[in-house]
Amino acid sequence: MGVEDGTPPQRIQRRRVKGWQLPEGAVIVTRPTRWGNPFEVGAMVQQFPGGYAKPYEGSAPPGVYPGDADRPGGYEIRPVADRADAVGLFRAHLLRYPALLIPPIRQHLHGRDLACWCPLTDAYGNPVPCHADVLLRVAAGEEP
């Protein structure tokens, strides 16, 4: 389990198979836990200049909207394209509110294995992007 046994913390894929158990000391970081990524593939987001976005639940159609007095830079309403996009939005979210979000991650997740539903690799053996990788870096004292 990471630091306690001398191995670096890692991402673990949760499974729904008989007999599978969460390793001792691992932390679940899926939605709806406080560590879950609020950006889901296919869900709509309102994205602002600079990369920051927030989940969008309004009724406006996807598109680019010009700025106004409240949002001088404008914004775009769009779906989250894929896992890499969702992870990028999560990273931008942490960078937008570092003083609020990063200290609890370091306090509660440092040295812990993190469990998410995302697969570890794709069919070709390539790593699959997951917000838990960002959490592992932040928990280790690195930048998102």
Side-chain angles (χ1 to χ4, degrees), residues 34-118:
R34 74 183 282 192
W35 313 114
N37 188 348
F39 303 102
E40 185 174 1
V41 175
M44 300 303 285
V45 295
Q46 183 177 19
Q47 188 164 19
F48 301 92
Y52 171 71
K54 62 182 183 179
Y56 181 72
E57 296 178 8
S59 59
V64 177
Y65 293 83
D68 57 24
D70 293 331
R71 294 181 187 87
Y75 58 92
E76 179 181 12
I77 296 175
R78 65 175 185 84
V80 177
D82 55 24
R83 287 182 197 271
D85 188 25
V87 172
L89 292 169
F90 180 71
R91 182 179 176 277
H93 179 70
L94 294 181
L95 291 170
R96 172 81 176 203
Y97 301 105
L100 178 66
L101 300 174
I102 291 177
I105 293 169
R106 291 186 174 149
Q107 177 184 359
H108 297 285
L109 302 181
H110 177 75
R112 310 284 295 271
D113 291 334
L114 304 181
C116 187
W117 293 114
C118 294

Side-chain angles (χ1 to χ4, degrees), residues 1-13 22-29 34-35 103-116 131-141:
M1 180 219 87
V3 172
E4 289 180 9
D5 67 4
T7 62
Q10 62 184 339
R11 177 164 60 102
I12 298 167
Q13 182 182 8
L22 183 70
E24 185 177 338
V27 177
I28 294 172
V29 295
R34 74 183 282 192
W35 313 114
I105 293 169
R106 291 186 174 149
Q107 177 184 359
H108 297 285
L109 302 181
H110 177 75
R112 310 284 295 271
D113 291 334
L114 304 181
C116 187
H131 82 291
D133 296 320
V134 175
L135 290 171
L136 285 167
R137 282 195 304 276
V138 171

